[in-house]
């Protein structure tokens, strides 16, 4: 069964700095998702990565997928306070039904001035 | 406005008293899903429905039931709630499969 592990779980950054959140998964997953959750709020879908080498970018966030390494990354460029949130990755459980998602525990990002 | 709605948003109940959390979407989405969020555990999928005809278990279905009688609604039923079902619950929908899900505002459930 698919397992998804994120690291770090907590990340405190200074504005203007770059950093990367890592999402490792244990078995084959044919697609990888990233979500954002603001404190006390619901979740928002950020990216869907469908194939090896896929790269998606929106603003200061860029997500990539390496299926051979079973690794997805979420790169933050020149962080700003508005990016403070918890970020989750999730994989689709390839061996199961197409609708089954397995989430990582989330990375709580705090961007300080 | 395109949205996923959940009701109630907050609920405090007692052990064993049956309850239903409703979820409705107005986007004609095929896929709907329920998740629970617990501190330190992230999100875990309870049940999902690929379409009106297909519903399947997620990772933590024990103690829950769902019903998908029509495309727009996907209620979550707790027949006999227990304290370990105290959690924050999210419903989500997506046009087809779990890609690009739209999440509801969440329901905070406390079972005493």
């Amino acid at each position: 069964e698919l397992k998804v592990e994120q690291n770090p779980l907590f990340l405190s950054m200074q504005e203007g700095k770059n950093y990367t959140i890592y999402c490792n998964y244990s078995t084959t997953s044919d697609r990888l998702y990233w979500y954002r959750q603001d404190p006390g709020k619901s979740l928002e879908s950020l990216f869907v990565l469908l194939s090896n080498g896929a790269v998606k970018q929106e603003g200061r966030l860029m997500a990539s997928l390496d299926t051979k390494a079973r690794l997805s990354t979420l790169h933050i460029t020149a962080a700003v306070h508005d990016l403070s949130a918890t970020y989750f990755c999730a994989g689709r459980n390839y061996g199961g039904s197409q609708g089954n998602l397995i989430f990582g525990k989330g990375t709580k990002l705090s961007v300080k001035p | 406005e395109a949205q996923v709605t959940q009701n109630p948003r907050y609920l405090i109940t007692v052990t064993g008293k049956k309850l239903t959390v409703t979820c409705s979407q107005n986007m004609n989405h095929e896929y709907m899903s329920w998740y629970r969020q617990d501190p330190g555990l992230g999100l875990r999928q309870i049940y999902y429905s690929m379409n009106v005809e297909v519903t399947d278990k997620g990772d933590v279905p024990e103690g829950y039931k769902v019903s998908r009688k029509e495309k727009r609604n996907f209620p979550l039923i707790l027949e006999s709630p227990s304290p370990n079902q105290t959690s924050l619950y999210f419903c989500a929908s997506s046009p087809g499969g779990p890609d690009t899900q739209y999440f509801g505002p969440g329901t905070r459930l406390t079972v005493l």
Side-chain angles (χ1 to χ4, degrees), chain A residues 1 31 33 35 37 41-45 48 50 88 92 97-105, chain B residues 31 35 37 40-43 45 48 50 56-59 90 98-105:
Chain A
E1 181 177 307
R31 50 193 67 191
Y33 307 90
Y35 302 89
Q37 185 178 35
K41 303 289 187 183
S42 186
L43 284 93
E44 173 190 358
S45 292
V48 181
L50 300 178
F88 293 94
R92 191 161 79 165
S97 172
Q98 293 182 4
N100 184 205
L101 292 191
I102 307 294
F103 283 75
K105 289 184 168 46
Chain B
Y31 179 89
Y35 303 92
Q37 184 175 25
L41 296 178
L43 272 85
Q45 192 177 44
Y48 61 93
M50 295 296 290
D56 210 345
K57 297 176 181 178
D59 298 323
F90 289 103
D99 298 353
T100 317
Q101 293 185 82
Y102 294 80
F103 287 81

Side-chain angles (χ1 to χ4, degrees), chain A:
Chain A
E1 181 177 307
L2 178 67
K3 293 189 189 317
V4 178
E5 192 171 298
Q6 281 181 244
N7 67 83
L9 298 182
F10 299 93
L11 178 55
S12 181
M13 298 177 62
Q14 279 192 307
E15 281 192 330
K17 299 290 188 183
N18 304 333
Y19 210 83
T20 301
I21 299 171
Y22 298 89
C23 178
N24 293 274
Y25 54 98
S26 60
T27 64
T28 301
S29 179
D30 66 338
R31 50 193 67 191
L32 203 291
Y33 307 90
W34 285 95
Y35 302 89
R36 169 180 171 148
Q37 185 178 35
D38 290 331
K41 303 289 187 183
S42 186
L43 284 93
E44 173 190 358
S45 292
L46 290 176
F47 302 112
V48 181
L49 302 168
L50 300 178
S51 60
N52 187 43
V55 176
K56 295 273 185 79
Q57 182 163 6
E58 182 169 332
R60 300 173 187 273
L61 300 178
M62 183 174 73
S64 65
L65 179 61
D66 181 344
T67 57
K68 294 179 181 178
R70 295 178 184 162
L71 172 68
S72 179
T73 59
L74 181 66
H75 187 72
I76 303 151
T77 301
V80 293
H81 179 70
D82 285 353
L83 291 179
S84 296
T86 299
Y87 294 86
F88 293 94
C89 65
R92 191 161 79 165
N93 200 5
Y94 190 69
S97 172
Q98 293 182 4
N100 184 205
L101 292 191
I102 307 294
F103 283 75
K105 289 184 168 46
T107 297
K108 186 173 183 179
L109 172 65
S110 176
V111 181
K112 302 183 185 303

